[in-house]
Amino acid sequence: MKRIRINTGKIGLVFRNGDYRKVVTEGAYWLLPNEDAYEYDQTKPFHPSIDLNILLKDELLAGMLTVVEVKDNEIALQYENGNFRNVLAPGRYAYWKGVTDYSFIKADLSKIEVTEKIDTNTITRKEVLPYIRVFAVESYEKGILLIDGKFSKVLDTGVYYFWKNAVVISVLKADLRQLQLEVSGQEILTKDKAALRLNFYTQYKVVDIIKALIENKDYEKQLYILMQLALREFIGTLSLDELLEKKESISVYVLATLKDKAYNLGVEVRDCGVRDIILPGEVKEIMNQVLVAQKKAEANVIMRREETASTRSLLNTAKLMEENSMLFKLKEMEYVEKIADKINSISLSGGNQIIDQLKDIFVPKK
């Protein structure tokens, strides 16, 4: 005979000649020479040395265990005292009752969406992530959920979790902010065969995500081509001079042309305009020469106008002086004053003749 003792928090399994006989709890026991006892910690999962099915035939032992069966298409989230502890893969698990409060959430991996009541902190744990597919739709986006390549639903802003399985899941996303598309250095011929390059921009916004992502492929490229065609169509009907005079009308025409066509792409065109019109070197030189000639002609016209006005003023002054001798004398005195301003000293000779001459100048004749 031999004596064993089972301490608090322990469980003993007694085997006779290798065969299970009974379960013993806290206390002291006598065993026969051919009996052995295996002690287990109730705070830890139960990992028996023999098949669990054999042990569960003992109703007393079965009542002391919580048995969790996880099927091939499942996982189980294990919680201890309310805290997440581990993920159980397919298999059979046993836990002692009484000391630790165990709880479990089973998840069916054959489903697509995570419908189980699993909080976000748990689902993002490193132990769970290998079984999860995560898709994030930002605040400025909308998404489209495709299941096995087929449209399922539109996803609003948020983070979405799906079980990882054989089903193919993908999320297409579109930016809902106002965007800008530019045509840079586009070479176009005018009606009079003048080659020029154009920089043009369009501001747009995605308003129908299904049309943009499902019904059309590469909606941005299609919008770009529509811009090109509209520009060529309008500029090709104008000569170079007409184009430069009507530059503002380009954006009006393109905006009106793109409106309906862009709607079919799921896009709303909000504004557009010409940034630059770049002329070839020889055309630019000719335009500069024309501009210089125009400015010279305008300058000549201004000079002739000023000369005519000055001549007309002189003629009017002469007529007034002819009709009024006093005015003539005043004019003479004005010129004498101007001459005197430039003379430092005057030497007189000839006696009274100089005085008489000055009187003739300053005293009007009656």
Side-chain angles (χ1 to χ4, degrees), residues 118-132:
I118 306 173
D119 62 85
T120 305
N121 291 331
T122 301
I123 208 169
T124 54
R125 293 282 293 266
K126 63 180 182 179
E127 297 90 346
V128 184
L129 279 178
Y131 303 94
I132 295 290

Side-chain angles (χ1 to χ4, degrees), residues 4-12 23-29 39 42 64:
I4 63 168
R5 180 172 183 80
I6 305 299
N7 296 323
T8 303
K10 306 288 185 179
I11 293 289
V23 57
V24 291
T25 58
E26 177 184 350
Y29 301 90
E39 194 174 63
Q42 286 184 286
M64 301 169 67

Side-chain angles (χ1 to χ4, degrees), residues 183-188 196-199 224 228 231-232:
V183 175
S184 300
Q186 182 65 53
E187 295 188 0
I188 302 177
L196 53 85
R197 286 188 294 129
L198 193 72
N199 292 331
Y224 183 88
Q228 284 184 313
L231 289 170
R232 291 179 182 277

Side-chain angles (χ1 to χ4, degrees), residues 140-252:
Y140 53 84
E141 295 177 325
K142 269 196 174 182
I144 289 179
L145 176 63
L146 301 178
I147 299 176
D148 285 335
K150 297 178 181 179
F151 171 76
S152 176
K153 63 180 179 179
V154 175
L155 302 179
D156 292 321
T157 299
V159 180
Y160 297 85
Y161 302 95
F162 304 95
W163 293 118
K164 189 177 291 185
N165 49 36
V167 179
V168 178
I169 296 177
S170 58
V171 173
L172 305 179
K173 295 187 288 186
D175 195 326
L176 300 184
R177 294 173 292 186
Q178 180 168 292
L179 305 172
Q180 183 162 304
L181 187 62
E182 295 198 11
V183 175
S184 300
Q186 182 65 53
E187 295 188 0
I188 302 177
L189 287 177
T190 61
K191 184 179 179 181
D192 52 357
K193 307 303 180 185
L196 53 85
R197 286 188 294 129
L198 193 72
N199 292 331
F200 193 84
Y201 75 90
T202 294
Q203 293 177 335
Y204 69 96
K205 185 177 182 180
V206 176
V207 293
D208 191 329
I209 188 173
I210 295 178
K211 285 184 178 180
L213 298 181
I214 301 296
E215 298 179 8
N216 292 280
K217 182 180 179 181
D218 296 330
Y219 67 91
E220 277 191 341
K221 290 183 180 179
Q222 293 192 50
L223 181 60
Y224 183 88
I225 292 174
L226 291 175
M227 287 170 57
Q228 284 184 313
L229 294 176
L231 289 170
R232 291 179 182 277
E233 182 179 348
F234 182 75
I235 293 175
T237 61
L238 301 175
S239 65
L240 180 59
D241 291 337
E242 291 172 338
L243 176 64
L244 295 177
E245 290 177 4
K246 301 179 180 180
K247 184 171 66 174
E248 294 78 11
S249 60
I250 299 177
S251 58
V252 177

Side-chain angles (χ1 to χ4, degrees), residues 286-314:
I286 293 171
M287 294 292 291
N288 289 335
Q289 292 175 357
V290 171
L291 180 61
V292 171
Q294 287 177 344
K295 294 302 179 184
K296 285 183 177 180
E298 291 175 3
N300 288 333
V301 169
I302 293 173
M303 290 175 61
R304 299 294 179 269
R305 189 183 299 120
E306 293 298 326
E307 288 176 356
T308 301
S310 177
T311 303
R312 186 178 294 112
S313 177
L314 289 172

Side-chain angles (χ1 to χ4, degrees), residues 22-134:
K22 62 180 178 179
V23 57
V24 291
T25 58
E26 177 184 350
Y29 301 90
W30 290 97
L31 299 181
L32 297 174
N34 60 346
E35 291 182 334
D36 295 299
Y38 294 91
E39 194 174 63
Y40 294 90
D41 190 342
Q42 286 184 286
T43 63
K44 297 179 180 179
F46 177 46
H47 299 293
S49 58
I50 63 172
D51 189 85
L52 182 61
N53 292 321
I54 297 174
L55 299 177
L56 291 178
K57 291 180 179 180
D58 182 352
E59 294 183 0
L60 178 60
L61 177 59
M64 301 169 67
L65 291 171
T66 297
V67 179
V68 180
E69 299 214 21
V70 183
K71 298 179 181 178
D72 286 340
N73 61 338
E74 293 179 336
I75 60 171
L77 277 61
Q78 174 197 346
Y79 293 80
E80 294 182 8
N81 298 321
N83 297 318
F84 173 76
R85 185 61 59 195
N86 195 17
V87 173
L88 304 181
R92 196 180 219 190
Y93 304 86
Y95 299 86
W96 296 109
K97 296 178 180 178
V99 176
T100 302
D101 181 17
Y102 291 101
S103 59
F104 305 88
I105 295 178
K106 284 188 180 182
D108 186 354
L109 298 185
S110 63
K111 298 186 305 179
I112 296 173
E113 297 190 24
V114 178
T115 57
E116 292 77 10
K117 294 182 178 180
I118 306 173
D119 62 85
T120 305
N121 291 331
T122 301
I123 208 169
T124 54
R125 293 282 293 266
K126 63 180 182 179
E127 297 90 346
V128 184
L129 279 178
Y131 303 94
I132 295 290
R133 287 178 279 200
V134 184

